[in-house]
Amino acid sequence: WFYPKFKPVSTELIMSVLETIRQQIKDNKILIYMKGSPEQPQCGFSAQTVQALMACGEKFAYVDIL
């Protein structure tokens, strides 16, 4: 099997990503990480999650992971 070589990731980059995630969680009561957007979900799980939250009438934030 061929496995691509990954470049080492700096500690600073890891800490930056973690801080971004912490801030997103802190700033939003309900936050979903999903494929696509609520208007155009890119997988069935994302679509079902959005439908469930909308059916409950909850406001939510999202992050498109694609």
Side-chain angles (χ1 to χ4, degrees):
W1 291 90
F2 171 76
Y3 293 99
K5 292 184 178 181
F6 294 100
K7 294 182 182 179
V9 178
S10 71
T11 301
E12 292 82 19
L13 178 59
I14 292 170
M15 295 310 292
S16 173
V17 169
L18 289 174
E19 185 53 39
T20 297
I21 293 169
R22 282 187 191 102
Q23 195 63 45
Q24 290 169 338
I25 293 169
K26 180 180 174 189
D27 291 346
N28 298 284
K29 183 178 175 184
I30 300 173
L31 172 69
I32 61 171
Y33 292 89
M34 62 180 289
K35 293 179 180 178
S37 67
E39 295 79 20
Q40 291 189 317
Q42 298 297 307
C43 77
F45 182 81
S46 293
Q48 289 181 340
T49 303
V50 167
Q51 287 177 346
L53 288 169
M54 292 176 118
C56 293
E58 293 291 338
K59 292 183 179 181
F60 62 93
Y62 76 95
V63 176
D64 183 350
I65 62 167
L66 295 179

